[in-house]
Amino acid sequence: MSMSIGGIVSGLNTDEIIESLMKIESIPKNHIATKKASTETFISALKALNVKLGSMTEQAGKVAKGASFDVWKGNSTDPSVTVTTAEGATASTLEFSVDKLATGKSTLSGALSDVGTLLTDGEFAFTTGTGADMKSFAVTPESQSLEDLASSINGLKDAGIKATVIKTEVGQRLQLTSTTTGTDAGTFAISSGSGESGFQTMRQAGDAQITLWPSLGLDGTQVTSASNTFSNVVKGVNIAVSKVTDEAVAVDVNRDTAAVTKLGTDLVSQVNQVLSEIASRSSVTTSTDKDGNPITTGGIFTSDSTTRSIVTGLTEAVMHPVGGKSPATIGISLGNDGQLTFDAEKFAKAWESDPAGTQAFLSELGSRIENVGNSYSDTYEGSLTLRVQSQQALVTEYGKQIEQWDIRLEQRRANLVATYTAMEVALSSLQNQGSSLSGALSSLSGNSAK
C-alpha cells in the first residue's frame, strides 16, 4: 500500500477525503454483500422448511402403507398376564389357566471350610443344558476360598450359572442357581469333586405350563414354554405370565383404534407444521416511518412462488375428495386460518363402523401427501432441494464478486493515496521554489539599495 503524508502542505485532511471517496466507491460492493446476506437468510429458511417437509413426507409414507394399520391391542382379565402383539395378529379371544411358571435349577452345598471337596485337579467343572445343547465349563479359583470360586464362576461368559456364598453358624455354603429357565436350558450338573452328591437340590428346572379352556377338561390342551412367555399360541400374540392362577384367565385381542387414530393425528400435525412454517415466513407487517407514513414489510417467503405452490399442493392433496367422499367424513377439515383440524372422535367412529374403508381413505391421503412432499424435498430432484442449491450457487457467485471488489477497492485506495501524496509533494516543491524566488528577489532589492 502507498504511504500517505496527509495534508502537511495543503492543509487538507486528505485521509478523510480518501475515506469519503472510498465509501462512495464501495457502494456497489455493499449492495452485493447485502444481497449475499439476504440470500443466506433465505437459504436458512428454505432448509428449515425442507426439514419439516422431510418429516411430513416420512409420516405420510408410513400412513400410505397398509402394514401401518396392522396394529392390535391385547387385554387380560388378570393383571399377572400381559399381552403383546406382533405382525400377523388378528382379532381373537383365548381362555386358559396358568398351571406352572418356568424355573431354573438351584442347588445348595453342605457346610464347607474351603473348596477342596469341590475340585478335581484344582478345577471346578460343570455342564449346562442337555443333549445337543449341553455346554461344559471349568474354572480354577485363585485360592481355596469359596469367595474366589464363586467369583470365578460368575466371571464365566454365557455360562448361565450364578454362584452365591452364604455364611451360616456351621460353615459356608455355596448356592448355584441357573440364570435361565426351562426343563432343558435351565438345568446344570456338577462333574468335579464329589459332584452332585455334596449338594441338595432346592428347585428343579421346569417349563411353564398353561391349560387352554380349563373349564372343558379337554385332553391335550396343555401348552409349555421354557420361559414365562408363550409365543404364537394365537398367531401374532405373545402371552407373558408371572404367577400361577386359581381361576381361568381370558385374553382378548382387538384392533388398536387409538394407535390407528394416532396415524391420522400425526399426519395432520406434520402437514400443519409445514403450512405454519410457510405462513409465518410469508406474513406481511405494517409499521410507520418517522413522518407517520405507513411502511409495509413482507416476509421472506411473501413473494416466493415455490412455497406458495407447496401450500397449494398440500391443500389439494388433503382436501380433494376420495371416492367422492370429503375428508370431513373421517374428521379432517380445513379451517379459515389455513390450518387443518383432525377430529379424533369422529375418526374413531368412522374406523369402528368401516375399518377397511377408513384405512383406504387415510392411506390415499397419505400417498397424495407423500407424493407432494417428495416432489419438493427429494434429496436429488426435489424442487425445494434444487432451489436451495441454486441459491447456494448464487451466494458463491456473490462471494466471488465481493472478492473482486475488495481487490478493485484496494487498488483504488492505493491510487487515491498516491494521487494525494503526489499533490502534497508537488505543492511542497512549488512552495520551496517560491521561497527560493522570494529569497533571490530580496537579495536583489538589498543590493540595489546600496
Side-chain angles (χ1 to χ4, degrees):
M1 180 179 288
S2 301
M3 181 182 68
S4 173
I5 58 175
I8 58 176
V9 179
S10 64
L12 299 174
N13 191 340
T14 55
D15 289 339
E16 186 176 308
I17 293 172
I18 291 173
E19 287 302 320
S20 297
L21 291 172
M22 289 306 300
K23 286 181 180 179
I24 297 173
E25 296 280 354
S26 298
I27 289 175
K29 174 200 167 181
N30 294 338
H31 282 325
I32 297 172
T34 299
K35 289 181 180 180
K36 180 174 180 289
S38 177
T39 305
E40 288 172 336
T41 301
F42 184 54
I43 290 173
S44 295
L46 290 178
K47 286 183 175 180
L49 175 60
N50 214 11
V51 169
K52 287 184 169 58
L53 268 173
S55 297
M56 179 204 72
T57 304
E58 182 179 354
Q59 177 65 25
K62 181 179 178 181
V63 173
K65 293 181 175 66
S68 298
F69 294 85
D70 188 21
V71 285
W72 301 84
K73 185 176 182 180
N75 296 295
S76 167
T77 57
D78 191 310
S80 68
V81 175
T82 57
V83 184
T84 58
T85 59
E87 185 177 352
T90 58
S92 56
T93 299
L94 184 66
E95 186 180 87
F96 58 89
S97 62
V98 181
D99 308 323
K100 295 187 297 183
L101 296 180
T103 56
K105 182 178 178 179
S106 182
T107 64
L108 183 68
S109 75
L112 301 169
S113 58
D114 57 35
V115 299
T117 60
L118 303 179
L119 306 182
T120 298
D121 296 329
E123 288 187 339
F124 180 80
F126 62 94
T127 59
T128 62
T130 60
D133 295 325
M134 182 182 292
K135 296 179 181 179
S136 298
F137 299 90
V139 296
T140 303
E142 293 183 1
S143 71
Q144 291 291 301
S145 74
L146 283 174
E147 284 81 2
D148 281 347
L149 175 58
S151 177
S152 298
I153 295 171
N154 291 333
L156 289 173
K157 183 179 181 181
D158 301 327
I161 296 292
K162 178 172 62 176
T164 306
V165 177
I166 302 169
K167 295 181 179 180
T168 69
E169 291 183 358
V170 294
Q172 299 182 96
R173 294 175 183 265
L174 181 67
Q175 179 176 304
L176 300 177
T177 304
S178 174
T179 58
T180 57
T181 59
T183 301
D184 294 327
T187 192
F188 59 86
I190 301 169
S191 55
S192 64
S194 57
E196 293 286 335
S197 62
F199 284 79
Q200 289 181 296
T201 299
M202 297 186 295
R203 183 181 65 210
Q204 291 287 6
D207 292 337
Q209 177 180 296
I210 61 174
T211 298
L212 307 180
W213 315 291
S215 61
L216 299 180
L218 300 175
D219 293 332
T221 57
Q222 284 74 37
V223 181
T224 60
S225 172
S227 71
N228 288 322
T229 298
F230 295 81
S231 301
N232 288 315
V233 177
V234 175
K235 184 179 180 181
V237 178
N238 300 320
I239 300 168
V241 299
S242 59
K243 73 174 186 178
V244 173
T245 58
D246 296 325
E247 297 181 357
V249 179
V251 166
D252 289 310
V253 177
N254 297 289
R255 286 274 193 181
D256 192 345
T257 303
V260 174
T261 302
K262 190 174 185 300
L263 286 173
T265 302
D266 290 347
L267 178 62
V268 169
S269 175
Q270 293 281 359
V271 174
N272 276 337
Q273 287 185 39
V274 173
L275 296 177
S276 295
E277 181 76 7
I278 295 174
S280 65
R281 294 182 183 274
S282 301
S283 59
V284 177
T285 58
T286 302
S287 58
T288 57
D289 61 17
K290 62 180 181 179
D291 298 322
N293 299 315
I295 300 175
T296 302
T297 305
I300 198 167
F301 288 161
T302 299
S303 303
D304 184 61
S305 59
T306 301
T307 52
R308 285 201 304 271
S309 66
I310 292 174
V311 173
T312 301
L314 286 178
T315 303
E316 290 179 352
V318 177
M319 299 311 301
H320 193 73
V322 175
K325 294 183 179 180
S326 167
T329 59
I330 63 168
I332 298 176
S333 58
L334 182 65
N336 294 330
D337 59 355
Q339 289 281 289
L340 299 173
T341 58
F342 183 80
D343 189 330
E345 184 177 348
K346 191 172 185 178
F347 178 85
K349 289 181 179 178
W351 177 261
E352 292 292 341
S353 63
D354 183 13
T358 305
Q359 175 181 330
F361 200 123
L362 190 59
S363 290
E364 173 61 21
L365 294 185
S367 180
R368 291 179 187 175
I369 294 168
E370 182 183 24
N371 290 336
V372 173
N374 280 329
S375 68
Y376 288 97
S377 66
D378 181 81
T379 305
Y380 303 102
E381 299 180 354
S383 299
L384 198 61
T385 302
L386 295 176
R387 186 75 185 283
V388 170
Q389 292 173 358
S390 67
Q391 293 298 303
Q392 288 174 328
L394 189 58
V395 167
T396 299
E397 179 58 30
Y398 284 148
K400 292 178 180 178
Q401 293 180 21
I402 291 172
E403 289 177 0
Q404 293 171 356
W405 268 104
D406 285 337
I407 295 172
R408 188 182 307 172
L409 291 171
E410 185 178 350
Q411 184 60 50
R412 179 58 176 157
R413 178 183 291 276
N415 291 340
L416 287 173
V417 169
T419 298
Y420 279 95
T421 299
M423 181 189 72
E424 293 293 335
V425 170
L427 287 175
S428 176
S429 177
L430 289 174
Q431 190 178 61
N432 290 335
Q433 291 176 10
S435 297
S436 298
L437 183 59
S438 296
L441 291 174
S442 297
S443 176
L444 292 172
S445 298
N447 292 332
S448 299
K450 294 179 182 180

